């Protein structure tokens, strides 16, 4: 499967020795991090792939799941020759960050997850119904579903909100096809089957959790706070006045928090 990706930043001799893998959100693409990457790439080698079914990577009409995305990201790092990496991302990207950190802790020594999906209790009935609807009429139901979902992405007072939504929907029209629509429903509702609460206490790496204090969809605020209390070496960073899409709304503040956290955690002793 062909993936589009970027690999930017200083060489390893000039950078912090551990690269940073960024994972974008659900249905999103590399461009989600356009305003974030330049800040991070001053100090880190930064890798950002378009996940399968998203952006301008291939979009086969196949089964999509969190497991597929984890395997893809591990295979991606193998292909570009990166054995160990910090990993971060928001929403779906935050979900995959925590899942990868739990699955392969030695490979991902530090984590940064903001507004991570999966900070909730599983809802199997919701997942089953959503996947069935997607199989039945995915391309037609996509637009009403994503329109409702998009109302929760950005704080209403964010100045770039309307233009960003127009750009996002234009991108959706450009890449729409059977694989993209199937990915939307299967990945969205696969996330309702899983929770980080089941293994959070076993995530032992330094972990930065980010939350915009206007982001309360699906109990996000309470869920992130609960995770911060369960993950042994977690720190919670709250971004006042921001909603779900922190990399868009507050990129400089988010980058500063991530860089500062990684700098401290690299020097701190374990335990």
């Amino acid at each position: 499967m062909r993936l589009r990706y970027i690999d930017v930043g200083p060489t390893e001799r000039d950078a912090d020795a551990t690269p940073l893998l960024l994972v974008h959100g659900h249905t999103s693409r590399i461009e989600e991090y356009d305003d974030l990457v330049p800040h991070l790439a001053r100090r880190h080698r930064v890798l950002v792939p378009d996940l399968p079914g998203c952006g301008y990577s291939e979009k086969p009409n196949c089964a999509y799941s969190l497991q597929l995305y984890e395997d893809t990201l591990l295979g991606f790092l193998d292909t570009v020759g990166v054995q160990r990496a910090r990993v971060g991302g928001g929403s779906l990207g935050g979900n995959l960050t925590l899942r990868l950190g739990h699955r392969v802790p030695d490979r991902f020594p530090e984590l940064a997850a903001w507004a991570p999906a999966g900070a909730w209790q599983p809802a199997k009935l919701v997942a089953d119904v959503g996947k069935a609807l997607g199989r039945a009429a995915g391309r037609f139901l996509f637009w009403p579903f994503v329109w409702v979902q998009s109302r929760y992405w950005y704080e209403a007072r964010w100045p770039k909100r309307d233009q960003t939504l127009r750009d996002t929907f234009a991108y959706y029209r450009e890449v729409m096809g059977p694989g993209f629509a199937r990915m939307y429903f299967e990945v969205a509702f696969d996330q309702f089957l899983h929770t980080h609460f089941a293994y959070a206490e076993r995530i032992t790496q330094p972990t930065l959790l980010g939350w915009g204090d206007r982001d309360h969809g699906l109990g996000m605020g309470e869920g992130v706070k609960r995770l911060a209390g369960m993950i042994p070496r977690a720190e919670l960073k709250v971004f006042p006045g921001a909603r779900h899409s922190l990399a868009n709304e507050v990129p400089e503040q988010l980058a500063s928090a991530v860089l500062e956290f990684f700098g401290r955690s690299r020097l701190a002793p374990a335990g």
Side-chain angles (χ1 to χ4, degrees), residues 27 29 53-56 59 170-178 180-181:
T27 74
R29 52 183 175 161
C54 300
Y56 301 101
K59 302 172 182 62
Y171 148 65
Y172 289 156
R173 288 190 291 272
E174 178 186 359
V175 301
M176 177 54 67
F180 183 79

Side-chain angles (χ1 to χ4, degrees), residues 239-257:
F239 296 86
R243 204 157 190 179
H244 191 66
S245 301
L246 297 179
N248 298 112
E249 294 181 79
V250 289
E252 292 186 19
Q253 296 95 312
L254 178 60
S256 177

Side-chain angles (χ1 to χ4, degrees), residues 69-254:
Y69 279 172
E70 289 178 40
D71 293 345
T72 298
L73 290 166
L74 292 171
F76 167 73
L77 291 178
D78 290 342
T79 300
V80 298
V82 171
Q83 179 57 35
R84 296 176 80 248
R86 296 179 170 103
V87 59
S91 197
L92 168 65
N95 191 347
L96 291 167
T97 291
L98 296 177
R99 288 173 62 90
L100 287 169
H102 173 252
R103 176 176 169 178
V104 198
D106 292 341
R107 192 162 191 179
F108 301 105
E110 291 151 319
L111 316 174
W114 50 94
W120 49 57
Q121 293 295 349
K124 186 176 185 302
L125 179 61
V126 173
D128 290 345
V129 171
K131 289 183 179 182
L133 288 172
R135 287 192 293 269
R139 294 185 68 174
F140 301 100
L141 290 176
F142 171 84
W143 298 107
F145 269 72
V146 80
W147 187 90
V148 172
Q149 183 186 12
S150 68
R151 302 307 100 181
Y152 296 89
W153 291 342
Y154 311 112
E155 170 58 27
R157 291 174 291 184
W158 182 49
K160 298 181 181 179
R161 178 181 182 274
D162 291 344
Q163 184 59 55
T164 302
L165 286 173
R166 284 193 292 270
D167 292 344
T168 299
F169 275 74
Y171 148 65
Y172 289 156
R173 288 190 291 272
E174 178 186 359
V175 301
M176 177 54 67
F180 183 79
R182 183 172 181 179
M183 174 277 301
Y184 173 79
F185 283 95
E186 293 191 349
V187 172
F189 290 101
D190 193 41
Q191 294 188 98
F192 282 95
L193 291 174
H194 305 281
T195 176
H196 304 300
F197 301 143
Y199 54 79
E201 293 176 347
R202 298 193 297 276
I203 299 175
T204 58
Q205 303 96 312
T207 302
L208 177 66
L209 295 171
W211 172 58
D213 68 359
R214 304 294 178 88
D215 183 14
H216 297 287
L218 298 174
M220 181 60 68
E222 293 306 311
V224 173
K225 291 175 188 176
R226 182 179 174 187
L227 284 176
M230 295 178 69
I231 297 173
R233 301 173 69 187
E235 291 186 19
L236 175 61
K237 173 67 175 178
V238 178
F239 296 86
R243 204 157 190 179
H244 191 66
S245 301
L246 297 179
N248 298 112
E249 294 181 79
V250 289
E252 292 186 19
Q253 296 95 312
L254 178 60

